[in-house]
Amino acid sequence: MTVVDDRLNAIRGAAPRKPHNARTLAALAANPGCRRRTIMDAAGVNKALIADRLGHGMTVGQMSSIALARGRSFEAQVKAEGGNDLLRLLREHLDLPTAQAHYHDLNPADDDDRISARLRRSQSALEEAARASDPVGTMFDHPILQLTMNGVRVHIEPDLIAFKFGDRFHIVEIKSFPIVDGVADSGKVAAAAQQAAVYVLAMREMLQTAGLSPELVSHEVILVCPRDFSNQPVAELVDVRKPLASLRRHLTRMESIDALLPILPPGLTFDLVLDETGQATRSPDDLAASVAQVSARYSPDCLQSCELAGVCRAEADGTVPVLGRVVREELGGIDSIAEAIALATGGRVPDDSQRQAARLLRSAYQMRQQALEAVR
């Protein structure tokens, strides 16, 4: 246990650590300037419980029980009998000349199978496969991966299969949204590509750490979905080079935990102080004061990816960031919406840092007035 680990555990408090997944990592990397999320995610804080205690609970990235059951059923079907359906898809849809394949199950052996032990098994199996020249393909079910973020290595427990054929690994993503007449929901495909990019980067980092080429992991991901509205699976190749480049760029912009911890207030903790029944006893006012000690970088996009977004939105009420990232960047130097309106209408003289934004606001206001006159 390091000093950093001790501090992060103190920040989280007595609650169990909430692990990362590809969705949380992609969301964190997409907003690298948010120190609040960076600290909370590094400490494994359950942001949903914090938001509930502060009266701003919201549901993010959660599916209904029916959708979850459908997803599990479809995944089980694709993986059944050693992945026979998946092998058929690889042969029929992706032109992989694979008559058979080994199946390596890396799921937990039992309830006591710790994630660190599974990580070691996954690393050993994947590195051994990377060095082998076996012409028969191998499927690795539920490997544990690891990715460095903010200078800290985090475990990722992906719901995926890594398939190795020849000298390349392909990430296989199994999703329950349908491909209808050859077309899938573009937003869901983009989200799947972002998550897959996290897995590709994590696998590449693992192989590179072992002295192997990261290019052994292909940038083409195999996406498996139901065809039309049936449970018949269909596979497509998805190129994740763009989300992979975006992820790398955001990761390099993130502040390291080692640099952030020394500037936090001593004794800072988000502990809810749970009683024996699991109910929070810490006062909302005291918790809110602790949350406010770590700066956030709110934008409306956060509502789609962060459980704490309701808290941050309430804090940012009346400020420029609630209008979106593009507006925030265009109006640099202007903090409040009231100030922006005053500059637009000529009710305030801009200072030197606001002149460019003020010209933009004044022009937009004049165009609006002309448009209103035209429709009268």
Side-chain angles (χ1 to χ4, degrees), residues 9-16 18 40 44-56 267-291 308 311:
N9 288 339
I11 288 172
R12 184 178 68 255
K18 187 173 177 62
M40 287 191 172
V45 173
N46 190 324
K47 298 188 295 298
L49 295 182
I50 300 292
D52 285 342
R53 187 62 177 164
L54 296 179
H56 295 283
L268 175 73
T269 181
F270 302 122
D271 194 351
L272 292 173
V273 192
L274 303 180
D275 61 19
E276 61 275 6
T277 66
Q279 298 299 309
T281 63
R282 187 175 182 182
S283 77
D285 289 343
D286 186 46
L287 180 62
S290 291
V291 170
L308 207 64
V311 175

Side-chain angles (χ1 to χ4, degrees), residues 234-254:
V234 62
E236 298 289 344
L237 279 177
V238 178
D239 190 326
V240 298
R241 277 178 292 187
K242 288 183 68 174
L244 191 58
S246 176
L247 177 63
R248 283 199 193 98
R249 184 171 63 254
H250 288 314
L251 287 177
T252 59
R253 293 170 56 198
M254 294 178 71

Side-chain angles (χ1 to χ4, degrees), residues 327 330-331 344 354-367:
V327 175
E330 291 286 351
L331 300 186
Q354 298 172 333
R355 292 190 187 283
Q356 183 175 348
R359 283 195 294 270
L360 180 65
L361 286 167
R362 186 65 180 167
S363 175
Y365 177 72
Q366 290 172 347
M367 291 175 63

Side-chain angles (χ1 to χ4, degrees), residues 318-320 323 327 331-348 354 357-362 364-365:
T319 66
V320 168
L323 302 177
V327 175
L331 300 186
I334 300 173
D335 296 323
S336 72
I337 294 174
E339 185 179 15
I341 292 173
L343 289 168
T345 57
R348 175 172 176 162
Q354 298 172 333
R359 283 195 294 270
L360 180 65
L361 286 167
R362 186 65 180 167
Y365 177 72

Side-chain angles (χ1 to χ4, degrees), residues 365-376:
Y365 177 72
Q366 290 172 347
M367 291 175 63
R368 176 183 180 274
Q369 293 300 104
Q370 292 170 2
L372 291 175
E373 289 293 334
V375 297
R376 284 176 184 169

Side-chain angles (χ1 to χ4, degrees), residues 41-375:
D41 281 2
V45 173
N46 190 324
K47 298 188 295 298
L49 295 182
I50 300 292
D52 285 342
R53 187 62 177 164
L54 296 179
H56 295 283
M58 56 189 300
T59 301
V60 174
Q62 296 182 11
M63 296 187 292
S64 68
S65 58
I66 295 175
L68 284 171
R70 184 173 66 246
R72 292 193 186 103
S73 174
F74 180 68
E75 179 187 346
Q77 174 190 331
V78 173
K79 293 181 178 179
E81 300 179 6
N84 280 346
D85 257 353
L86 180 57
L87 282 176
R88 175 182 58 79
L89 292 172
L90 297 176
R91 289 194 301 268
E92 295 178 3
H93 297 278
L94 304 175
D95 297 326
L96 291 179
T98 310
Q100 58 181 328
H102 303 303
Y103 179 80
H104 198 136
D105 189 355
L106 293 168
N107 281 283
D110 52 48
D111 292 340
D112 295 325
D113 194 2
R114 295 181 180 275
I115 195 168
S116 57
R118 291 180 59 202
L119 173 63
R120 288 192 295 271
R121 289 204 307 274
S122 298
Q123 288 174 327
S124 176
L126 293 169
E127 289 169 16
E128 181 181 351
R131 292 186 170 95
S133 57
D134 191 344
V136 178
T138 303
M139 291 183 290
F140 299 90
D141 191 0
H142 279 79
I144 296 296
L145 303 176
Q146 193 171 248
L147 184 65
T148 302
M149 297 189 70
N150 316 104
V152 176
R153 289 187 173 181
V154 296
H155 293 150
I156 312 170
E157 189 170 3
D159 184 18
L160 61 79
I161 287 179
F163 177 75
K164 180 174 184 283
F165 182 78
D167 62 349
R168 301 300 295 277
F169 285 96
H170 286 272
I171 297 298
V172 179
E173 274 273 43
I174 302 172
K175 296 294 185 182
S176 60
F177 59 82
I179 296 178
V180 181
D181 294 331
V183 180
D185 184 296
S186 59
K188 292 179 179 178
V189 172
Q194 289 173 343
Q195 293 176 38
V198 173
Y199 301 142
V200 169
L201 189 59
M203 275 197 71
R204 286 184 172 183
E205 182 178 300
M206 183 196 70
L207 293 180
Q208 190 168 24
T209 301
L212 297 162
S213 171
E215 297 308 313
L216 289 172
V217 184
S218 174
H219 61 262
E220 289 187 313
V221 171
I222 301 168
L223 179 63
V224 179
C225 297
R227 185 200 299 273
D228 298 328
F229 297 102
S230 70
N231 263 349
Q232 184 66 30
V234 62
E236 298 289 344
L237 279 177
V238 178
D239 190 326
V240 298
R241 277 178 292 187
K242 288 183 68 174
L244 191 58
S246 176
L247 177 63
R248 283 199 193 98
R249 184 171 63 254
H250 288 314
L251 287 177
T252 59
R253 293 170 56 198
M254 294 178 71
E255 295 178 276
S256 73
I257 293 299
D258 286 339
L260 285 177
L261 288 180
I263 64 177
L264 296 178
L268 175 73
T269 181
F270 302 122
D271 194 351
L272 292 173
V273 192
L274 303 180
D275 61 19
E276 61 275 6
T277 66
Q279 298 299 309
T281 63
R282 187 175 182 182
S283 77
D285 289 343
D286 186 46
L287 180 62
S290 291
V291 170
Q293 288 182 297
V294 185
S295 62
R297 187 175 174 82
Y298 173 78
S299 81
D301 297 345
C302 297
L303 296 170
Q304 307 300 319
S305 59
C306 183
E307 298 89 340
L308 207 64
V311 175
C312 302
R313 178 176 60 181
E315 286 182 358
D317 187 37
T319 66
V320 168
V322 301
L323 302 177
R325 294 182 186 179
V326 174
V327 175
R328 180 180 63 199
E329 297 301 326
E330 291 286 351
L331 300 186
I334 300 173
D335 296 323
S336 72
I337 294 174
E339 185 179 15
I341 292 173
L343 289 168
T345 57
R348 175 172 176 162
V349 177
D351 60 32
D352 290 342
S353 66
Q354 298 172 333
R355 292 190 187 283
Q356 183 175 348
R359 283 195 294 270
L360 180 65
L361 286 167
R362 186 65 180 167
S363 175
Y365 177 72
Q366 290 172 347
M367 291 175 63
R368 176 183 180 274
Q369 293 300 104
Q370 292 170 2
L372 291 175
E373 289 293 334
V375 297

